[in-house]
């Protein structure tokens, strides 16, 4: 059964699985068959469009990033080999395969019993994040039940944190009643909210810096396509400092500039198609809630690619690339060499961007802190992940003593839970479970107030931008 489920995921992928799930949900909510099928098709078109766009962009930018890292002469033993390689490792372990089925059943049960209002199975692929940490714990301790308990608890934490930011993410990125549940990104919820509160307290919210404000201040140079062109050219320039005397170097600078501008221009159009897939389901769920007595507002988990190319997200993510390379060089105790996942930073900061209302200045600060903490966390745990990779036969890159994924393993929450479970101390593990239930009850009681607070904080920045302009 596990092999069949894994083979289905491998064979069809998210662009097929998600539309099928969407059509089933739509029909269950009594959406007319024609609209249900069209919604599924639009979701498939959107996901395919995201994947094609990002898939074409990454190979253009990656050589520039690699050259930028290499020219800094960083000598660090832990090589970032990327989230793709990490997901392959997670899906290749015995523990991972067990949770693939267990997690699916758990997530459906939690939704049907109204323990959560987020339908997480729609983004089943990203369960590999749980599978990674569970596999690491099993390799380190040999305790299968403890590894399964860790993955279940991480799943529960992910859902309650996703509940906190679901409305904010849906509102900011423009996908009605949708949110992301990618565990490696949702783990940033506490730091995103805390840092936004701190930054507002010290007046950082007075610095109005988002794509709309840039366009108002500097005219056509602030338009998304021009910002992409300028930002891409700067990234290309930094990555070709050693090749400025060659035609190839300047050709690559121009290519990266045009490619980044293209993402800025094309992404909103794909996002519009993808967003239209959820309109009929949103309308139907509202009607069902009204006729069913007690209203239930629920959110569908969607792939984090849906936010990658949003202007503030991509701009902040690209700016963070050289910042994180510099931090990796000077950070005491760091042994991680950021490489492949630097281009994945826009994925990593979606929660931070949404909470800040698209404020690039605040997001740069919060994103830097989130990723910096991730470097230190990865330094602590990458040895065990490397053992897991070796166990399934992964050959380490030449010159690398250990490997990691910046995007997946930059997760303070999961890292902390993993280290606590590593002690195998029932008291410490029991405390993490108690903390979850306290958090769950708090969110369940005050969720509407939490949503109102996050909307007020984010809208404060947006209104400020409008008034300033």
């Amino acid at each position: 059964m596990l092999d069949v489920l894994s083979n289905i995921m491998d064979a069809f992928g998210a662009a097929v699985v998600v539309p099928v799930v969407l059509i089933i949900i739509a029909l269950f909510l009594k959406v007319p068959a024609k609209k249900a099928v069209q919604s599924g098709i639009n979701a498939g078109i959107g996901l395919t469009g995201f994947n094609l766009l990002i898939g074409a962009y990454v190979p253009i930018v990656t050589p520039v990033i690699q050259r930028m890292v290499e020219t800094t002469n960083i000598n660090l033993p832990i090589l970032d080999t990327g989230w793709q390689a990490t997901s392959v490792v997670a899906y290749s372990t015995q523990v991972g395969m067990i949770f693939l089925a267990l997690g699916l059943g758990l997530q459906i049960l939690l939704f049907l019993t109204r323990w959560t209002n987020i339908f997480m199975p729609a983004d089943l692929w990203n369960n590999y994040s749980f599978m990674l940490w569970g596999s690491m714990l099993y390799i380190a301790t040999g305790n299968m039940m403890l590894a399964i308990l860790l993955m279940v608890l991480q799943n529960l934490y992910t859902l309650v944190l996703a509940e906190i930011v679901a409305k904010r993410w849906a509102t900011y990125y423009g996908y009605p009643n949708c949110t992301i549940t990618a565990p490696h990104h949702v783990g940033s919820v506490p730091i995103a909210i805390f840092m936004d509160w701190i930054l507002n307290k010290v007046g950082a919210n007075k610095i109005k810096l988002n794509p709309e404000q840039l366009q108002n201040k500097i005219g056509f140079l602030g338009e998304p396509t021009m910002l992409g062109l300028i930002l891409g050219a700067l990234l290309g320039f930094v990555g070709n400092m050693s090749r400025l005397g060659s035609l190839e170097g300047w050709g690559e600078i121009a290519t990266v500039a045009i490619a980044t501008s293209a993402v800025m221009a094309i992404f909103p159009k794909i996002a519009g198609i993808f967003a239209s897939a959820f309109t009929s389901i949103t309308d139907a769920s509202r009607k069902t809630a009204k006729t069913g007595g007690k209203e239930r507002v629920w959110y569908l988990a969607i792939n984090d690619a849906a936010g990658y190319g949003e202007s503030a997200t991509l701009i902040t993510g690209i700016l963070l690339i050289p910042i994180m390379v510099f931090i990796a060089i000077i950070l005491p105790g760091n042994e991680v060499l950021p490489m492949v996942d630097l281009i994945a930073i826009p994925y990593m900061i979606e929660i931070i961007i949404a909470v800040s209302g698209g404020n690039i200045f605040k997001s740069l600060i919060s994103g830097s802190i989130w990723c910096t903490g991730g470097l230190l966390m990865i330094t602590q745990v990458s040895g065990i992940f490397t053992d897991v990779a070796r166990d399934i036969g992964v050959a380490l890159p030449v010159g690398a003593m250990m490997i990691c994924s910046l995007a997946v393993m930059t997760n303070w929450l999961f890292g902390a839970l993993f280290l606590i479970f590593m002690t195998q101390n029932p008291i410490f593990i029991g405390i993490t479970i108690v903390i979850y239930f306290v958090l769950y009850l708090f969110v369940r009681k005050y969720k509407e107030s939490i949503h109102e607070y996050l909307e007020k904080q984010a809208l404060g920045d947006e209104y400020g931008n409008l008034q300033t302009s």
Side-chain angles (χ1 to χ4, degrees):
M1 184 183 72
L2 297 176
D3 288 339
V4 169
L5 190 57
S6 179
N7 290 337
I8 289 173
M9 290 294 297
D10 291 339
F12 293 98
V16 175
V17 174
V18 171
V20 170
V21 171
L22 201 61
I23 291 171
I24 293 171
I25 292 173
L27 293 174
F28 180 77
L29 292 173
K30 299 180 180 179
V31 173
K34 181 180 178 180
K35 282 188 176 182
V37 172
Q38 188 61 57
S39 294
I41 292 172
N42 286 350
I45 292 171
L47 283 174
T48 302
F50 289 140
N51 291 332
L52 290 174
L53 184 62
I54 298 170
Y57 180 63
V58 169
I60 294 172
V61 180
T62 298
V64 176
I65 295 172
Q66 291 176 339
R67 198 174 296 111
M68 177 180 65
V69 173
E70 289 166 1
T71 55
T72 60
N73 294 318
I74 312 175
N75 185 22
L76 296 168
I78 305 172
L79 179 65
D80 166 28
T81 55
W83 65 266
Q84 297 94 334
T86 302
S87 66
V88 171
V89 171
Y91 273 99
S92 301
T93 67
Q94 181 185 9
V95 177
M97 286 297 93
I98 290 173
F99 191 78
L100 183 61
L102 177 62
L104 176 61
L106 174 67
Q107 292 158 13
I108 292 174
L109 178 65
L110 292 174
F111 180 77
L112 292 179
T113 58
R114 299 192 176 222
W115 185 267
T116 180
N117 285 314
I118 294 177
F119 188 72
M120 191 172 178
D123 190 30
L124 186 64
W125 163 255
N126 275 314
N127 277 0
Y128 75 83
S129 195
F130 306 125
M131 295 150 64
L132 166 70
W133 293 98
S135 299
M136 288 168 59
L137 186 64
Y138 178 66
I139 285 289
T141 65
N143 190 327
M144 178 67 75
M145 293 307 298
L146 195 64
I148 291 173
L149 178 60
L150 172 64
M151 292 185 288
V152 169
L153 186 61
Q154 288 177 335
N155 200 157
L156 292 172
Y157 268 106
T158 296
L159 282 167
V160 74
L161 292 177
E163 291 259 17
I164 291 173
V165 293
K167 181 178 180 180
R168 176 87 290 265
W169 192 93
T171 302
Y172 181 78
Y173 285 100
Y175 300 114
N177 285 82
C178 295
T179 191
I180 59 170
T181 55
H184 28 284
H185 308 324
V186 174
S188 67
V189 169
I191 192 68
I193 295 174
F194 176 72
M195 282 304 304
D196 192 67
W197 178 77
I198 289 289
L199 290 170
N200 287 345
K201 286 293 182 182
V202 299
N205 58 323
K206 295 178 182 178
I207 301 176
K208 309 297 181 181
L209 186 62
N210 67 12
E212 292 78 13
Q213 185 68 6
L214 288 173
Q215 186 172 349
N216 289 331
K217 284 187 175 296
I218 59 178
F220 81 97
L221 291 176
E223 294 178 0
T225 51
M226 287 303 299
L227 284 173
L229 190 72
I230 295 168
L231 202 57
L234 288 173
L235 181 63
F237 184 83
V238 173
N240 281 279
M241 292 291 288
S242 61
R243 303 200 310 165
L244 294 179
S246 69
L247 191 62
E248 290 80 5
W250 286 102
E252 189 170 67
I253 292 171
T255 300
V256 173
I258 291 294
T260 306
S261 181
V263 173
M264 292 285 202
I266 299 170
F267 192 90
K269 295 178 173 59
I270 300 174
I273 297 173
F274 189 60
S276 69
F278 304 98
T279 304
S280 59
I281 287 183
T282 302
D283 293 340
S285 64
R286 286 173 181 164
K287 290 177 183 177
T288 302
K290 288 179 181 177
T291 57
K294 189 176 181 180
E295 184 174 355
R296 184 189 190 188
V297 178
W298 61 279
Y299 293 84
L300 185 73
I302 60 175
N303 194 272
D304 46 356
Y308 183 95
E310 188 273 330
S311 296
T313 307
L314 190 59
I315 290 171
T316 307
I318 291 177
L319 290 174
L320 278 170
I321 290 173
I323 291 173
M324 288 314 303
V325 172
F326 177 71
I327 289 175
I329 296 172
I330 66 169
L331 182 64
N334 173 55
E335 297 181 4
V336 179
L337 175 61
M339 180 71 80
V340 178
D341 271 346
L342 285 171
I343 195 59
I345 290 179
Y347 292 119
M348 299 167 62
I349 59 171
E350 286 183 29
I351 298 292
I352 292 170
I353 291 287
V355 169
S356 74
N359 187 308
I360 295 171
F361 177 72
K362 291 198 297 181
S363 296
L364 278 172
I365 297 172
S366 299
S368 297
I369 292 173
W370 171 244
C371 293
T372 299
L375 292 176
L376 296 176
M377 179 61 71
I378 293 169
T379 298
Q380 296 297 315
V381 303
S382 60
I384 300 173
F385 171 68
T386 304
D387 289 340
V388 174
R390 283 200 187 101
D391 191 58
I392 66 162
V394 173
L396 267 62
V398 176
M401 292 175 60
M402 291 176 280
I403 58 174
C404 71
S405 165
L406 180 69
V408 180
M409 297 169 70
T410 295
N411 192 329
W412 301 10
L413 173 63
F414 280 18
L417 289 172
F418 169 77
L419 292 174
I420 290 170
F421 272 66
M422 276 279 289
T423 67
Q424 302 188 62
N425 186 311
I427 296 176
F428 295 159
I429 293 172
I431 290 173
T432 64
I433 296 172
V434 170
I435 291 174
Y436 162 73
F437 280 104
V438 171
L439 177 62
Y440 173 79
L441 293 173
F442 178 82
V443 172
R444 190 178 182 92
K445 184 176 181 180
Y446 296 107
K447 185 167 62 175
E448 290 186 8
S449 299
I450 294 170
H451 285 176
E452 288 175 8
Y453 167 78
L454 292 177
E455 292 303 300
K456 182 179 178 181
Q457 291 291 100
L459 290 174
D461 279 333
E462 293 170 15
Y463 288 146
N465 288 331
L466 293 172
Q467 290 167 2
T468 304
S469 63

